[in-house]
Amino acid sequence: MDSIVIHGGTELNGEIPIAGAKNACLALMPATLLSDEPLTLTNAPRLSDIKTMTELLQSLGAEVTKMQDGQVLAMSSHDLDNHVADYDIVRKMRASNLVLGPMLARLGHAVVSLPGGCAIGARPMDLHIHGLEALGAEIDLRDGYLHAKAPAGGLKGAQMELRFASVGATENILMAATLAKGTTVIKNAAREPEIVDLAQCLRKMGAQIEGEGTSTLTIQGVDSLHGATHPVVTDRIELGTYMLAPAITGGTVECLGGKLDLVASFAEKLHDAGIDVEETARGLKVSRRNGRVNAVNVTTEPFPGFPTDLQAQMMALLCTADGTSVLEETIFENRFMHAPELTRMGANIEVHGGHATVTGVKRLKGAPVMATDLRASVSLILAALAAEGETVVSRVYHLDRGYERLEQKLGACGARIERVKGA
Ligand code: UD1
């Protein structure tokens, strides 16, 4: 297995292009299942999760052609010949469950494996199931698979309120509702930019949707959707991660394509920590002023709050802050697995349930580390950039799920970072 070796302590200066959003692309790709006309996505990120979704769609009979080095995905679901999303693919990636709503709406039936345990918590699917049941679907769990069936006349519009503003459930229900008969209203819908991007793409395909970006989505069902071309929105989590690079090492980095409204609550916390964030014509320019960063308290929340997917990276920054910070994780249980690894690099962190108390140290020290999920892994990369000496991060396949050309992007700004090929 590959590892990444970093010699820390170098200030970063330069520019980093930010890719299209993994999480938006993973929701946009299954939208192809809703139409028999082609859907083309531009600005797609080149990541292993996108490859997994490609395999899943192909297993259902969709055609997915990569163009322009994988940045353009041309998809067609003209001839779907399978309605079973197999465990072997779904277990690799929870977002595979996003084929459920579209298949149910277009074909009237779908069989989708439950994703199974996840390193960052239980992550059930009850909200997806209840939402689709409200549209008239019958859903049973048999042999680890959800067997879903639409009523004889197809799905029917309904009013519903989600118990929690789940991103995945909102996406699944939204996609299914585009082809349901009548009006669907989803209250307490997720407001993430990835939902807005999906709604905008579906609208280009002929869907009638109002309210994206607010807590109430109203969808007027249509008989069929047509083809479209859509650019994937900027990845706000990749953006936030690279904004933290100069914050942790010192220096100035311009994140190209970044926009403040994608990361407003995160940028506010960076400001409190003493980091300058400036919106430019090309993106976001981030600079670290002299001296140590300030301690700040952070609570993760659904958008527009502080994203859970930036909590681990923010913790890496706060490990060297002047003072004590408290990070509260409210979205996922068990999402502090990076804390023991950061501790091995000299950090002072105490975890109690959903809270982590981080008392800053002057300097982290390099060490061999590994992590069990994507964002935890990249938090170790950030810590390593600031640490004294060498850090070897193993289990790099987690990083490849969410960060394209990570070594090149950081290396271009002066980081001493290289990938070592494993057996
Ligand atoms: C998406 C993102 C993920 C991000 C998360 C929260 C994708 C591909 N992934 O994941 O990176 O961390 O949003 O911003 O977009 N829940 C239930 N029942 C359900 C569904 C969810 O209880 O049916 C709970 C989960 O266990 C979790 C919380 O709701 O505690 C948030 O989950 P959700 O918003 O659904 O996240 P995902 O869509 O899985």
Side-chain angles (χ1 to χ4, degrees), residues 245-294:
I248 202 163
T249 62
T252 300
V253 169
E254 191 167 11
C255 295
L256 305 180
K259 293 212 163 50
L260 209 46
D261 59 0
L262 290 174
V263 286
S265 56
F266 167 72
E268 212 169 285
K269 289 293 174 187
L270 282 189
H271 175 79
D272 294 348
I275 308 298
D276 290 327
V277 179
E278 182 199 340
E279 197 158 34
T280 67
R282 302 197 309 153
L284 293 181
K285 193 184 264 188
V286 182
S287 321
R288 155 99 172 264
R289 287 175 232 144
N290 292 334
R292 288 171 72 181
V293 299
N294 308 320

Side-chain angles (χ1 to χ4, degrees), residues 135-153:
L135 300 180
E138 277 179 29
I139 305 182
D140 304 314
L141 175 64
R142 276 180 270 141
D143 311 321
Y145 283 77
L146 293 172
H147 293 252
K149 221 172 122 198

Side-chain angles (χ1 to χ4, degrees), residues 202-408:
L202 291 169
R203 196 177 292 125
K204 283 182 197 160
M205 295 171 72
Q208 293 190 16
I209 301 168
E210 278 173 28
E212 70 269 23
T214 75
S215 307
T216 304
L217 282 170
T218 306
I219 305 114
Q220 187 69 48
V222 294
D223 289 341
S224 64
L225 296 181
H226 51 72
T229 297
H230 182 78
V232 179
V233 68
T234 300
D235 195 318
R236 65 195 166 96
I237 306 301
E238 192 198 25
L239 170 63
T241 302
Y242 288 128
M243 287 169 73
L244 280 165
I248 202 163
T249 62
T252 300
V253 169
E254 191 167 11
C255 295
L256 305 180
K259 293 212 163 50
L260 209 46
D261 59 0
L262 290 174
V263 286
S265 56
F266 167 72
E268 212 169 285
K269 289 293 174 187
L270 282 189
H271 175 79
D272 294 348
I275 308 298
D276 290 327
V277 179
E278 182 199 340
E279 197 158 34
T280 67
R282 302 197 309 153
L284 293 181
K285 193 184 264 188
V286 182
S287 321
R288 155 99 172 264
R289 287 175 232 144
N290 292 334
R292 288 171 72 181
V293 299
N294 308 320
V296 291
N297 297 334
V298 170
T299 301
T300 63
E301 283 167 355
F303 192 86
F306 191 99
T308 174
D309 285 351
L310 285 172
Q311 177 260 108
Q313 301 90 311
M314 189 71 182
M315 185 186 284
L317 174 71
L318 297 175
C319 284
T320 57
D322 186 11
T324 298
S325 311
V326 177
L327 290 105
E328 186 184 2
E329 174 58 57
T330 71
I331 309 294
F332 291 112
E333 74 272 33
N334 196 18
R335 204 178 192 180
F336 286 131
M337 277 119 24
H338 39 287
E341 296 298 302
L342 290 169
T343 304
R344 297 185 59 250
M345 298 177 73
N348 181 352
I349 306 169
E350 279 180 42
V351 175
H352 295 289
H355 293 81
T357 306
V358 182
T359 304
V361 296
K362 278 214 169 111
R363 202 76 204 262
L364 293 171
K365 295 202 168 59
V369 287
M370 63 170 75
T372 45
D373 79 51
L374 167 59
R375 308 306 172 183
S377 300
V378 86
S379 78
L380 300 177
I381 299 276
L382 289 172
L385 292 173
E388 204 172 274
E390 181 184 276
T391 297
V392 180
V393 182
S394 42
R395 294 196 181 165
V396 168
Y397 59 86
H398 287 299
L399 289 168
D400 294 334
R401 289 188 49 205
Y403 294 90
E404 61 168 49
R405 300 168 49 243
L406 174 113
E407 312 89 271
Q408 290 89 330

